[in-house]
Amino acid sequence: MGRIQLKGVQKDFGKVTVIPPLDLEINEGEFVVFVGPSGCGKSTLLRLIAGLEDVTGGVIEIDGADATDQSPGKRGLAMVFQSYALYPHLTVAQNIAFPLRMAGLTRDEQARRIDNAADVLNLTDYLDRRPKQLSGGQRQRVAIGRAIVREPSAFLFDEPLSNLDAALRMGMRLEISELHKRLETTMIYVTHDQVEAMTMADKIVVLNAGVIEQVGSPLDLYDNPRNRFVAEFIGSPKMNIITGAHAEERQATSIGIRPEHLTISSGSGDWKGIVGISEHLGSDTFIRVDVAGVVDTMTVRAPGKLRLAAGDTVFLTPDMENLHRFDKTGLRIK
Amino acid sequence: MIDNSPEFRVKRGIGLTLMLVLLAFAAVPTLWVLILSFRAPMAIFQPIWESPLALTLDNFFKITRSNFPSALMNSFITAGLSTAFAMIVGVPAGFALAKARLSGKFVASWVLLLLRMAPPVGFVIPLFLLYVNAGLIDTYMGLVFAYMTLTLPLVTWSMWNSFAQVPDELIEAAIMDDANLMQAFLLIALPAARPGAVAAAILAFLVAWNDFFYALIITRSGTATAPVAVMNFISYDSVDWASIAVASIALTLPILPLMAIANRYIVQSLSGAVKG
Ligand SMILES: Nc1ncnc2c1ncn2[C@@H]1O[C@H](COP(=O)(O)OP(=O)(O)OP(=O)(O)O)[C@@H](O)[C@H]1O
Ligand SMILES: [Mg+2]
């Protein structure tokens, strides 16, 4: 249960094509993350799968059956919204019970499932509260609780953590990952935070202007980006992109090198530069270096104890194994 | 911070005086009417200090023997029914206008606004002619229908606004939970917009309750509402001020609790009580 296939799915809003025909296959039990910049169509794609938007063209299959014209409630999918979308006039227990009520379950069965979900999500003490009386993290849990009691064949999350503060976000990230491990249910998760994508996903789908740029495992995308867009989008800090003479001498329009694939030395190396700002994170130091003939400041990852003053002259040497070359359309040259 | 500068005190003094003057404008006539209603008929035109004890309950007994109580009942029936019907039609209409992907919403908003702004005279003449032909003059149905030209646009318009404040995601969540549209509307959207709905119902009731013009034109003796019945206390040779005073109190009392509720809900619906 939980296999979702998109075949030539297209979405237009009026005359604007937001998603040109697209194919995608999501396997049973997979944790799939849609990432991409704001406005690239992640939410739209998720809503198409949910049935909250009608497709302009193409077919959506869930577990092998055509679900394109099925109403959202009948697709067996549960959604967790960015704003949580808790019913404000209902208590936590009633919120979680709502889908069960709609499904016509007996009161006993409802109570059993609510208790179970509350137990898993640490909500037992809050069952009689209203959403207004809960913290952001608790609301998020209620929203997840409302989704899991239905025992859906897949979960759809639309940026569920973006309203939480950084510490809470990290905790919830782990909780959702653990939930996935335990339930082994397909999860589709939308985010524009590539750290969330890297840490949670089995499979990342990188979207750009409604087009799938690449699909693959986090490390696959990291090590073998298909094009410059993916190379730049995945990884933090961003991959350094160099155009001009340094690229041309390697028969490419542009070359890319990640901060950790540059060696910094005060003696000698390939590229000479001047140290700018250093960011000390403790374990690592990210050093900005202005290299002659390179437009953007380059970022280098160095050990945490390295101390360089702004204005020092340094030399950078790229690790040739991990240097990516891109042609003029942005595709990576293998 | 407490500002004790003389300048501030002068400003505050002026402010307080202004407030008291305004309050007096509102309160003095009400008090006066209240006193009038207890005055013996001969004492009505005397200053209160000349005959402070000329007080009586006769005015109240007298009015119960007139046709005013039945007119009050007519007011209740027509204002109540026109509010109920306006809610039955206007609340779902407001929901549809707020949430459905419709073209022509812009036109709808103009039509509704026009209906709300247009003076009643514009409606009453065609309605009158229509009613004469349809035999609806002096009927509940006629008056209720006439009031709905006031209450329905009001309810639709304000519920449109109330439902617009209910997040789309709330309704989508219900739809995902396999609620049908009716369930999403009745179980989720409507409770979420409850303050707005209560406020709309009360405002609609008050509009109909306070109407004089429609009832004057459309009703005769059978279904005359209380504001029209007050006219009966004015005859060619005299004006029964005491009865008019009692009638105004009878017209005001029922709306006091409504005002209290409406006040609370209007504040709530303005401050956007709907938050996930
Ligand atoms: N109902 C709609 N009508 C018209 N255009 C829409 C509608 N919904 C979305 N769009 C457009 O479709 C595009 C994709 O929107 P979508 O919400 O899917 O982006 P997103 O990737 O989720 O962005 P974000 O990260 O900001 O949430 C945007 O350009 C948006 O303006
Ligand atoms: Mg989005």
Side-chain angles (χ1 to χ4, degrees):
Chain A
M1 291 290 279
R3 201 169 114 88
I4 298 169
Q5 283 166 293
L6 310 187
K7 296 176 177 169
V9 166
Q10 180 184 347
K11 180 63 185 174
D12 300 351
F13 284 114
K15 288 196 177 67
V16 187
T17 300
V18 174
I19 297 180
L22 155 163
D23 295 306
L24 180 66
E25 191 157 335
I26 293 162
N27 293 318
E28 217 177 301
E30 237 174 6
F31 198 118
V32 178
V33 174
F34 295 170
V35 277
S38 187
C40 70
K42 306 180 292 290
S43 299
T44 304
L45 194 56
L46 195 73
R47 293 166 56 83
L48 285 170
I49 295 172
L52 292 171
E53 301 283 352
D54 294 327
V55 298
T56 307
V59 174
I60 297 172
E61 284 180 11
I62 299 175
D63 294 321
D66 187 349
T68 318
D69 297 320
Q70 235 174 4
S71 70
K74 303 289 180 230
R75 296 189 183 193
L77 311 174
M79 185 141 168
V80 176
F81 293 86
Q82 180 173 359
S83 64
Y84 318 132
L86 300 181
Y87 310 128
H89 59 291
L90 299 181
T91 64
V92 169
Q94 289 166 334
N95 261 281
I96 297 177
F98 189 78
L100 305 178
R101 242 171 91 197
M102 293 300 108
L105 264 59
T106 63
R107 294 225 157 239
D108 287 348
E109 179 63 12
Q110 288 185 25
R112 197 185 61 76
R113 291 211 200 173
I114 293 167
D115 286 345
N116 203 1
D119 202 35
V120 170
L121 294 162
N122 286 323
L123 286 170
T124 310
D125 295 339
Y126 307 104
L127 283 175
D128 293 326
R129 293 211 195 163
R130 302 272 156 133
K132 235 189 286 187
Q133 302 162 307
L134 298 176
S135 72
Q138 289 163 344
R139 286 179 205 190
Q140 185 61 70
R141 275 204 231 346
V142 177
I144 293 173
R146 193 173 61 185
I148 63 176
V149 286
R150 302 181 54 193
E151 300 175 356
S153 56
F155 291 93
L156 312 177
F157 294 92
D158 193 353
E159 310 211 19
L161 306 185
S162 55
N163 286 343
L164 302 177
D165 65 49
L168 209 51
R169 203 178 305 174
M170 195 133 93
M172 285 305 294
R173 211 160 72 197
L174 285 175
E175 267 187 62
I176 293 175
S177 291
E178 274 164 21
L179 197 68
H180 177 245
K181 214 164 278 162
R182 188 154 28 109
L183 299 176
E184 294 179 332
T185 308
T186 309
M187 291 189 176
I188 307 178
Y189 188 104
V190 165
T191 181
H192 58 241
D193 179 346
Q194 57 89 26
V195 178
E196 274 176 28
M198 290 297 284
T199 52
M200 302 174 85
D202 295 324
K203 185 155 107 184
I204 296 180
V205 176
V206 182
L207 284 164
N208 182 24
V211 176
I212 296 181
E213 295 282 356
Q214 192 171 3
V215 179
S217 73
L219 288 183
D220 191 29
L221 296 195
Y222 193 80
D223 293 333
N224 306 303
R226 202 170 70 84
N227 56 31
R228 218 181 112 173
F229 181 84
V230 177
E232 283 191 87
F233 196 80
I234 301 289
S236 172
K238 268 173 63 166
M239 180 185 280
N240 297 298
I241 298 289
I242 301 158
T243 51
H246 293 306
E248 274 154 28
E249 72 196 29
R250 289 174 174 80
Q251 291 84 46
T253 308
S254 57
I255 54 174
I257 184 87
R258 295 198 184 278
E260 67 267 34
H261 297 141
L262 283 166
T263 325
I264 193 162
S265 135
S266 50
S268 63
D270 287 6
W271 301 326
K272 186 175 167 188
I274 309 286
V275 173
I277 295 164
S278 299
E279 289 176 329
H280 298 282
L281 301 184
S283 57
D284 295 315
T285 302
F286 289 103
I287 303 162
R288 313 259 178 218
V289 180
D290 280 312
V291 174
V294 177
V295 181
D296 292 324
T297 305
M298 293 181 64
T299 307
V300 184
R301 193 176 103 183
K305 49 184 184 299
L306 187 74
R307 291 284 184 276
L308 286 170
D312 285 358
T313 299
V314 289
F315 294 89
L316 303 180
T317 310
D319 170 6
M320 290 313 290
E321 285 275 289
N322 289 300
L323 187 122
H324 305 288
R325 299 183 303 136
F326 303 102
D327 68 16
K328 61 179 184 298
T329 61
L331 274 181
R332 190 161 69 102
I333 305 166
K334 304 233 164 91
Chain B
M1 206 176 77
I2 297 166
D3 192 345
N4 265 328
S5 66
E7 195 186 337
F8 177 74
R9 283 203 228 161
V10 170
K11 276 190 198 161
R12 193 176 53 181
I14 294 173
L16 278 175
T17 316
L18 263 175
M19 263 166 61
L20 284 175
V21 169
L22 283 175
L23 192 67
F25 260 104
V28 167
T30 316
L31 265 177
W32 195 353
V33 164
L34 201 63
I35 293 168
L36 269 186
S37 69
F38 288 101
R39 297 287 275 169
M42 29 274 310
I44 279 213
F45 294 108
Q46 292 170 3
I48 185 106
W49 53 87
E50 280 184 17
S51 52
L53 291 177
L55 298 176
T56 174
L57 288 175
D58 281 355
N59 299 327
F60 290 84
F61 294 123
K62 192 177 140 208
I63 208 168
T64 55
R65 290 189 302 271
S66 73
N67 66 354
F68 186 77
S70 78
L72 205 58
M73 201 57 194
N74 289 342
S75 275
F76 263 112
I77 291 169
T78 52
L81 284 181
S82 60
T83 301
F85 291 147
M87 292 297 283
I88 290 169
V89 178
V91 173
F95 180 64
L97 284 165
K99 293 300 176 203
R101 283 185 193 162
L102 301 168
S103 51
K105 279 194 192 182
F106 180 72
V107 178
S109 76
W110 274 99
V111 170
L112 279 175
L113 201 62
L114 197 73
L115 284 173
R116 288 199 53 196
M117 302 270 173
V121 212
F123 294 101
V124 89
I125 294 166
L127 269 184
F128 179 75
L129 295 176
L130 190 76
Y131 279 17
V132 167
N133 285 314
L136 285 171
I137 294 290
D138 205 20
T139 60
Y140 284 135
M141 204 172 114
L143 194 54
V144 167
F145 183 76
Y147 283 162
M148 280 181 70
T149 64
L150 301 171
T151 55
L152 185 56
L154 189 151
V155 169
T156 307
W157 177 270
S158 64
M159 288 318 290
W160 184 351
N161 284 328
S162 298
F163 282 122
Q165 285 179 36
V166 176
D168 286 352
E169 292 197 343
L170 220 53
I171 292 147
E172 288 172 351
I175 298 287
M176 286 301 293
D177 285 345
D178 204 13
N180 59 36
L181 196 58
M182 190 57 121
Q183 289 168 320
F185 168 62
L186 288 177
L187 300 178
I188 303 300
L190 190 53
R194 203 176 69 114
V198 173
I202 290 174
L203 291 179
F205 184 86
L206 290 181
V207 164
W209 180 262
N210 289 331
D211 164 77
F212 172 70
F213 190 58
Y214 276 80
L216 181 71
I217 306 280
I218 292 173
T219 65
R220 298 291 174 261
S221 59
T223 58
T225 58
V228 174
V230 171
M231 297 283 282
N232 294 340
F233 301 125
I234 303 169
S235 56
Y236 287 113
D237 45 4
S238 68
V239 176
D240 186 352
W241 289 112
S243 294
I244 290 178
V246 174
S248 353
I249 289 169
L251 266 169
T252 314
L253 275 185
I255 66 175
L256 286 182
L258 290 185
M259 289 300 236
I261 301 171
N263 198 21
R264 209 181 102 218
Y265 278 108
I266 288 169
V267 170
Q268 255 191 50
S269 62
L270 284 182
S271 66
V274 188
K275 278 187 190 121

